[in-house]
Amino acid sequence: MTADGLENGATTVEAAVDRLILESALKTEKAISLARVIYGTALVVFTLNSAELYGADSVIFSSIPLLIFVGVSVLLFARISRLRDPRWVFPVSVAMDASVAFISLLPDVLWPWPGYGGMINLISASGMLISTFAAGFRLSVRVAVFGSLLNAVYFAVLMALDHRISGHPNANEIAQVVLFSIFLFGAAALAVVVANLTRRLVHKSAVEAVRATRARQRLDRIVQDHHDLRTTLTAVTLSAGLIKERLESGDAAEPVHDLALQLESELRKVKAQIDFIKGETFAELVALNTVESVNLTAAMAQARLHTGHLFPAVALEVEPPPSPLFVAVAGGRPILERILFNLLVNACEGDGARGASRVSLRVRTGDGEVTVEVTDDGPGFAPDLLRDAIGDKILSTKAGGSGLGLLLANGLARASSGGIALANQQGGGAVVSVRLKLVDPARANR
């Protein structure tokens, strides 16, 4: 992974959570499809057995669409998990539910039988209430509203046909229609509430599942890094032993200078690996915290204040957004300030030999995200550093450094479903971009 690809290389928590929510909704859809197959088949059998009551035209009129819905439901039940993008299934399924309820009532309305007392008095009219309520189990408020509106339209059509074919309703029937309309509205309201609450519960469970998976993956990586650290320490021990033996032998023909340099290099690797494990562990602990809405403008000002005390000779320019911006950060405001502070310090220090005289902090917004840019007029990043990933164990802009500043900042940004990208400016100097999710100020936690 290159530095330019760091931002796109991280799998966001939101994407993983959305995938888990979709999988949960698909499992529910399979159960509903199976129920639709059973109910539709029962309706077809009942219609065929009622041919003498309704007539052949009524049987053909209702049986054919019911058989089509049953066939489509069987296909959905069998292949829904194999679809490339199954989101279109939910509104189609809700439409089929409403259509099955509509078709089960339509023959009675079009071909009223002797003793027919109106559609509103049929037991099968409760199917519209069930269909409306069931729309809420798709984990989508929009789908629930769509199903409710479609059932309301079907109900209005049936009542208009019933009124036209069977005559004017009396006062008692009008009261029943009003009561059924209230029930239908109540079922629609319940569907929306169920969709909203169920999605929240599933979302919460999915977030915890994703966090647990990420923690396990990072722990596996830390364990591997620990193994690498032990290997490096073994090499350090061997080098130290060789130096000791040569010093004790007093054999000047075997200088220890090269071994000392090798030992120094290996000790730097040990320090870098320890810092890396520390950064990864801290970032993972942060990822387990609740994601909070943080005032980016205030965090920028605070980070600039802390950095200014450390580097009074550096001109720090902060360009705040015209209005306060809020971003989602795991761990809240202290973590965001830590990210910005680390990047500002890294920009001021430069490569250790030459620092920056001017550092700028500015913000760009777009596509529901905020990009914070830290630019400087220092020496910029070395070409080999830009070819490495921030996740690598040794990544520093300074000779002998561990790269913990950038590493930790990237880990914290990734824990908040963001990321960091590195680049050099054409006129000289470095630019570090931090991507974070934008939050609606009306819902921000101040």
Side-chain angles (χ1 to χ4, degrees):
M1 184 189 301
T2 63
D4 293 335
L6 290 173
E7 188 172 345
N8 298 325
T11 301
T12 64
V13 174
E14 285 78 4
V17 169
D18 288 343
R19 186 165 56 250
L20 289 177
I21 292 176
L22 180 60
E23 292 174 357
S24 178
L26 291 177
K27 291 179 181 179
T28 303
E29 187 57 46
K30 289 192 69 172
I32 293 176
S33 297
L34 180 60
R36 190 188 304 118
V37 170
I38 297 173
Y39 182 67
T41 303
L43 281 178
V44 171
V45 173
F46 174 79
T47 302
L48 293 176
N49 291 333
S50 305
E52 295 182 0
L53 178 62
Y54 294 111
D57 293 340
S58 172
V59 171
I60 296 174
F61 181 83
S62 58
S63 296
I64 292 178
L66 286 175
L67 288 172
I68 293 175
F69 289 145
V70 168
V72 173
S73 299
V74 170
L75 289 176
L76 288 179
F77 179 80
R79 302 183 62 85
I80 191 172
S81 59
R82 304 177 187 176
L83 297 175
R84 178 174 299 180
D85 185 9
R87 289 177 176 83
W88 60 268
V89 169
F90 304 119
V92 171
S93 177
V94 166
M96 286 196 297
D97 288 344
S99 299
V100 168
F102 174 75
I103 292 174
S104 67
L105 293 167
L106 192 58
D108 295 292
V109 174
L110 296 179
W111 295 280
W113 32 271
Y116 171 72
M119 185 274 292
I120 203 68
N121 293 311
L122 297 176
I123 296 179
S124 54
S126 61
M128 302 194 77
L129 299 177
I130 297 174
S131 171
T132 301
F133 179 69
F137 290 97
R138 270 65 175 205
L139 304 183
S140 171
V141 174
R142 291 183 179 181
V143 173
V145 172
F146 170 70
S148 301
L149 292 176
L150 187 58
N151 277 286
V153 171
Y154 279 158
F155 175 68
V157 172
L158 288 172
M159 290 307 304
L161 291 174
D162 201 32
H163 170 72
R164 183 177 183 85
I165 296 173
S166 300
H168 299 285
N170 54 40
N172 184 51
E173 290 174 332
I174 293 177
Q176 290 177 326
V177 171
V178 173
L179 183 61
F180 188 87
S181 300
I182 294 175
F183 287 156
L184 190 62
F185 178 80
L190 284 175
V192 173
V193 172
V194 167
N196 189 34
L197 292 180
T198 306
R199 185 177 181 88
R200 286 186 179 182
L201 290 174
V202 174
H203 183 274
K204 184 177 180 180
S205 300
V207 168
E208 297 302 324
V210 170
R211 287 177 176 173
T213 300
R214 284 164 59 95
R216 183 171 60 252
Q217 293 172 346
R218 299 285 282 271
L219 180 60
D220 291 341
R221 187 176 182 182
I222 290 172
V223 170
Q224 179 60 44
D225 294 330
H226 179 264
H227 177 270
D228 296 341
L229 178 60
R230 292 185 61 183
T231 301
T232 306
L233 285 175
T234 301
V236 169
T237 303
L238 291 175
S239 297
L242 289 174
I243 292 176
K244 179 182 178 182
E245 291 178 1
R246 295 186 179 185
L247 288 175
E248 291 177 348
S249 65
D251 189 354
E254 298 184 33
V256 297
H257 178 70
D258 292 342
L259 285 175
L261 291 178
Q262 181 180 352
L263 178 60
E264 182 183 11
S265 175
E266 289 168 347
L267 286 174
R268 284 200 300 267
K269 291 180 181 180
V270 170
K271 180 181 182 300
Q273 289 172 331
I274 292 175
D275 288 341
F276 176 79
I277 294 175
K278 182 170 65 175
E280 287 285 283
T281 305
F282 182 71
E284 188 53 46
L285 291 175
V286 170
L288 295 176
N289 293 333
T290 302
V291 176
E292 300 178 11
S293 300
V294 182
N295 189 327
L296 174 60
T297 307
M300 291 171 61
Q302 196 67 20
R304 186 246 182 266
L305 180 64
H306 292 325
T307 309
H309 291 323
L310 291 177
F311 301 92
V314 178
L316 294 175
E317 300 177 353
V318 177
E319 300 179 14
S323 59
L325 293 178
F326 291 82
V327 292
V329 180
R333 179 170 172 174
I335 299 303
L336 178 58
E337 291 179 2
R338 181 69 175 271
I339 294 174
L340 299 178
F341 175 73
N342 278 17
L343 297 182
L344 287 174
V345 168
N346 195 79
C348 291
E349 291 180 341
D351 60 5
R354 174 193 164 197
S357 61
R358 184 178 301 275
V359 176
S360 300
L361 182 64
R362 59 176 61 91
V363 175
R364 293 187 290 105
T365 60
D367 298 329
E369 293 182 339
V370 173
T371 300
V372 183
E373 289 186 347
V374 178
T375 59
D376 62 66
D377 61 355
F381 295 115
D384 56 343
L385 185 145
L386 291 178
R387 289 193 297 268
D388 293 331
I390 280 183
D392 287 347
K393 298 176 182 59
I394 303 175
L395 176 64
S396 178
T397 56
K398 295 171 285 295
S402 66
L404 183 59
L406 286 176
L407 176 63
L408 183 57
N410 182 63
L412 297 178
R414 287 166 63 94
S416 303
S417 301
I420 289 180
L422 310 181
N424 283 329
Q425 302 183 83
Q426 292 183 353
V431 54
V432 180
S433 302
V434 183
R435 177 179 52 82
L436 296 169
K437 183 179 178 181
L438 184 64
V439 177
D440 185 358
R443 295 159 49 187
N445 298 324
R446 302 176 196 273

